[in-house]
């Protein structure tokens, strides 16, 4: 099926915040200077760490029992509003890129709560703490280029009374992080445009939706392809046209094969009408020919697919009943046919297998263990993750980390989204319509949507070994337009997704889009 610029991309002037300016002059900074991190698990209290608070609230930073790995953690909390920084200054570093990793928890609600690398000879880099209402620890990372041999590791909270954050098991070592896929699924954009949709920049200037998203930092366009859809959209011709637009803007293309005439997802994997009477052997040929045909046409027009999904959210298989997971050997044969066709067109095209199991590690293991056992070739583990349905971010992190290590493959959140409002714009009840459906810590507001997308990206970035590819926001341009509904066979059907688009009901680009600029 998230006015917030990513802190890591901010200019160097951002690093010259009040605390940063004062920090450079603190005598305690030089007293704690070292070439390696001291007391990274806070098992020795605050030894090696210093505290700064412009309001004299140093007591808001303290250690206490209940660590992530050991017995002790660093906590930020006060019964009154507070702003505090806990930091450690390192010198004698060899210049180069370093990564800070920290296990964190937070009750949420702060004005800001983040880890940072500052005073490193380059622009400050930071990563915000996600709210973790379930009490689970989450690992976040940030990286910086050290120039001049010094750097400050910093934990910051600007909070209201009673709001808290925890930090533990800190590491700082050579290496870099980042995301190569910061994508959006624009499959419905042509239909929206055909029915008169208008898109505007955050300032109100009318523009092309794809171009506006590109300007915000989006670098990948995901496009689903149906075999013979009733409304003529999401077919081969539209995929070709959209790929031209994306490549002209310098973006990459992910083609999402549904192997159906309409929606394929965990609850339905219906054969295209043209294949309805075909048995398993013929379906293998159908999958190969259809996949090859679309991808070869893309290659012929100079827009070779960069990545391809063989099936969409295929938890229970595809092309039922022959390709059901009740018949794993046949499902494997169909998947292999699609993967082979993709590689026959372009060996450089990455093959992804996609499940809607973002927070379900047991289910992900079961499925991919079978895929490996049956010899299905693939390059990427792709998962849908919607916090409404797939559990907390800690579950997503555990699943991504395990899948990347278990299968030795990069991992991708192929679909994610969040609501910016609970209001309805077209009369069809939205998929997310009530407050009890929301994820704790993320209100259905533009800021809540932005924070959710930010935190999903940050969890993917933290996958060890650089195996977190990134995330694809699902249908950021599917706004409410009469005629552009969900059912290709019913022109009067509505859109149950407009409150999760990245364009508001005033047609303006929402703040969440700025997180496409995540490095």
């Amino acid at each position: 099926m998230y006015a917030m610029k990513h802190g890591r991309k901010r200019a160097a002037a951002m690093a010259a915040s009040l605390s940063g300016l004062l920090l450079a002059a603190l005598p305690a900074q030089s007293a704690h200077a070292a070439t390696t991190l001291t007391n990274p698990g806070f098992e020795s209290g605050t030894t090696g760490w210093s505290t700064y608070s412009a309001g004299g609230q140093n007591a808001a930073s303290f250690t206490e029992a209940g660590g992530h790995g050991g017995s002790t953690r660093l906590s930020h909390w006060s019964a009154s509003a507070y702003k505090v920084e806990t930091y450690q200054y390192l010198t004698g570093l060899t210049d180069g890129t370093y990564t800070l990793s920290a296990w964190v928890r937070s009750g949420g609600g702060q004005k800001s709560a983040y880890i940072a690398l500052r005073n490193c000879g380059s622009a400050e880099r930071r990563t915000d703490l996600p709210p973790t209402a379930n009490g689970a620890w989450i690992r976040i990372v940030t990286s910086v280029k050290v120039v001049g041999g010094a750097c400050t590791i910093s934990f910051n909270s600007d909070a209201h009374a009673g709001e808290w954050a925890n930090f533990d098991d800190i590491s700082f070592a050579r290496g870099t992080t980042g995301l190569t896929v910061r994508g959006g699924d624009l499959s419905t954009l042509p239909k929206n445009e055909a029915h008169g949709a208008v898109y505007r920049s955050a300032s109100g200037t009318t523009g092309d939706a794809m171009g506006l998203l590109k300007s915000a930092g989006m670098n990948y366009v995901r496009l689903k392809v149906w075999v013979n859809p009733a409304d003529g959209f999401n077919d081969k011709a539209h995929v070709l046209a959209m790929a031209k637009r994306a490549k002209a803007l310098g973006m990459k293309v992910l083609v999402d094969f549904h192997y159906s005439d309409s929606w394929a997802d965990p609850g339905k994997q219906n054969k295209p009408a043209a294949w309805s009477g075909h048995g398993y052997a013929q379906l293998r040929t159908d999958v190969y020919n259809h996949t090859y045909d679309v991808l070869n046409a893309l290659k012929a027009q100079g827009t070779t697919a960069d990545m391809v999904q063989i099936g969409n959210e295929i938890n229970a298989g595809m092309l039922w009943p022959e390709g059901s997971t009740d018949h794993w050997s046949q499902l494997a044969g169909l998947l292999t046919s699609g993967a082979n066709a993709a590689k026959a067109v372009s060996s450089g095209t990455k093959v992804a297998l996609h499940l809607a199991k973002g927070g379900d590690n047991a289910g992900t293991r079961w499925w991919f263990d079978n895929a490996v056992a049956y010899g299905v070739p693939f390059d990427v583990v792709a998962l849908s993750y919607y916090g409404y349905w797939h559990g907390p971010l800690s579950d997503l992190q555990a699943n991504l980390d395990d899948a990347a290590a278990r299968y030795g493959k990069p991992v991708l959140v192929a679909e994610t989204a969040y609501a910016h409002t609970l209001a309805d714009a077209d009369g069809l009840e939205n998929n997310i319509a009530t407050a009890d459906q929301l994820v704790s810590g993320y209100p259905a507001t533009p800021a809540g949507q932005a924070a959710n997308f930010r935190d999903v990206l940050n969890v993917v970035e933290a996958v060890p070994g650089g195996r977190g590819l990134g995330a694809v926001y699902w249908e950021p341009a599917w706004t409410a337009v009469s005629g552009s509904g969900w059912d290709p066979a019913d022109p009067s059907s509505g859109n149950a997704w407009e409150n999760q688009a990245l364009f508001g009901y005033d047609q303006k680009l929402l703040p969440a889009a700025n997180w496409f600029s995540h490095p």
Side-chain angles (χ1 to χ4, degrees):
M1 247 173 36
Y2 276 135
M4 213 185 285
K5 273 284 186 186
H6 196 288
R8 302 166 192 235
K9 302 292 284 186
R10 287 173 181 158
M14 184 69 184
S17 60
L18 176 61
S19 63
L21 286 170
L22 295 176
L23 175 61
L26 288 175
Q29 189 179 60
S30 58
H32 290 160
T35 57
T36 58
L37 200 60
T38 300
N39 188 25
F42 301 99
E43 297 304 298
S44 300
T46 56
T47 299
W49 297 90
S50 299
T51 303
Y52 173 74
S53 173
Q57 300 152 311
N58 286 22
S61 173
F62 54 93
T63 58
E64 60 181 336
H68 167 261
S71 60
T72 308
R73 69 189 182 218
L74 172 70
S75 293
H76 286 175
W77 178 87
S78 177
S80 58
Y82 65 95
K83 184 174 183 180
V84 70
E85 175 181 27
T86 307
Y87 65 93
Q88 189 169 153
Y89 183 63
L90 301 182
T91 61
L93 300 172
T94 301
D95 285 357
T97 303
Y98 290 76
T99 293
L100 169 66
S101 173
W103 286 90
V104 301
R105 302 192 303 185
S106 169
Q110 299 98 326
K111 298 175 185 176
S112 64
Y114 57 92
I115 67 173
L117 293 170
R118 55 167 57 115
N119 304 324
C120 306
S122 59
E124 176 186 326
R125 303 290 288 274
R126 64 171 64 173
T127 296
D128 297 270
L129 272 62
T132 49
N134 62 336
W137 291 89
I138 289 177
R139 185 185 62 259
I140 57 175
V141 299
T142 193
S143 62
V144 74
K145 185 176 181 181
V146 172
V147 179
C151 194
T152 299
I153 289 89
S154 175
F155 307 125
N156 300 261
S157 295
D158 185 356
H160 307 97
E163 293 172 347
W164 60 272
N166 298 155
F167 310 83
D168 202 4
D169 292 341
I170 315 305
S171 70
F172 180 74
R174 293 295 292 266
T176 188
T177 64
L179 298 174
T180 58
V181 178
R182 306 181 305 277
D185 189 315
L186 297 182
S187 299
T188 308
L189 178 58
K191 189 173 182 178
N192 248 40
E193 291 172 333
H195 287 86
V198 174
Y199 300 94
R200 305 182 191 280
S201 68
S203 63
T205 303
T206 302
D208 167 62
M210 190 184 293
L212 292 171
L213 291 165
K214 161 67 177 179
S215 295
M218 197 174 91
N219 69 353
Y220 240 96
V221 175
R222 182 179 186 246
L223 302 168
K224 70 172 171 282
V225 58
W226 291 335
V227 177
N228 188 25
D231 61 5
F233 290 95
N234 298 300
D235 60 356
K236 173 183 169 183
H238 282 91
V239 168
L240 290 171
M242 286 289 284
K244 276 188 176 181
R245 289 173 63 177
K247 294 280 188 172
L249 288 171
M251 292 193 281
K252 294 185 176 182
V253 171
L254 163 57
V255 179
D256 173 18
F257 284 93
H258 283 225
Y259 302 111
S260 181
D261 290 335
S262 187
W263 302 97
D265 55 43
K268 53 185 177 298
Q269 294 283 336
N270 300 323
K271 296 177 187 175
W275 307 355
S276 61
H278 295 178
Y280 168 64
Q282 181 59 48
L283 287 171
R284 286 202 66 173
T285 301
D286 294 334
V287 168
Y288 187 97
N289 290 344
H290 172 60
T291 306
Y292 188 95
D293 178 53
V294 173
L295 296 180
N296 194 51
L298 286 166
K299 181 180 179 180
Q301 70 171 13
T303 59
T304 300
D306 299 282
M307 192 183 302
V308 58
Q309 284 179 217
I310 306 302
N312 184 77
E313 294 190 330
I314 50 178
N315 301 13
M318 65 185 197
L319 292 166
W320 292 344
E322 286 82 0
S324 163
T325 50
D326 291 335
H327 310 290
W328 247 107
S329 63
Q330 294 187 172
L331 172 58
L334 295 170
L335 294 171
T336 299
S337 288
N340 287 346
K343 294 296 187 179
V345 173
S346 171
S347 61
T349 296
K350 300 299 183 184
V351 171
L353 301 180
H354 173 215
L355 308 181
K357 288 185 175 291
D360 180 4
N361 183 238
T364 300
R365 276 191 170 203
W366 175 83
W367 198 97
F368 276 96
D369 281 358
N370 274 290
V372 170
Y374 282 100
V376 179
F378 66 98
D379 303 307
V380 176
V381 174
L383 301 170
S384 293
Y385 175 75
Y386 300 95
Y388 318 116
W389 304 313
H390 298 139
L393 281 169
S394 54
D395 286 354
L396 173 66
Q397 180 164 80
N399 197 20
L400 293 175
D401 289 359
D402 181 69
R406 187 175 182 85
Y407 307 110
K409 307 285 187 183
V411 292
L412 172 71
V413 172
E415 295 184 19
T416 193
Y418 201 79
H420 61 81
T421 180
L422 291 177
D424 176 64
D426 68 354
L428 177 66
E429 184 178 9
N430 289 324
N431 288 341
I432 303 302
T434 60
D436 62 355
Q437 294 176 283
L438 298 176
V439 180
S440 179
Y442 300 103
T445 63
Q449 180 190 54
N452 190 270
F453 188 34
R454 173 200 73 198
D455 292 343
V456 170
L457 291 168
N458 288 341
V459 163
V460 179
E461 184 187 21
V463 174
R467 286 184 169 144
L469 287 180
V472 178
Y473 197 96
W474 198 74
E475 292 285 8
W478 194 7
T479 55
V481 180
S482 179
S484 185
W486 70 270
D487 187 351
D490 180 7
S492 67
S493 64
N495 175 3
W497 202 259
E498 76 273 8
N499 69 324
Q500 298 192 68
L502 293 184
F503 292 88
Y505 292 175
D506 59 0
Q507 305 168 330
K508 293 181 181 178
L509 193 66
L510 290 164
N514 291 324
W515 287 95
F516 284 124
S517 65
H518 191 298

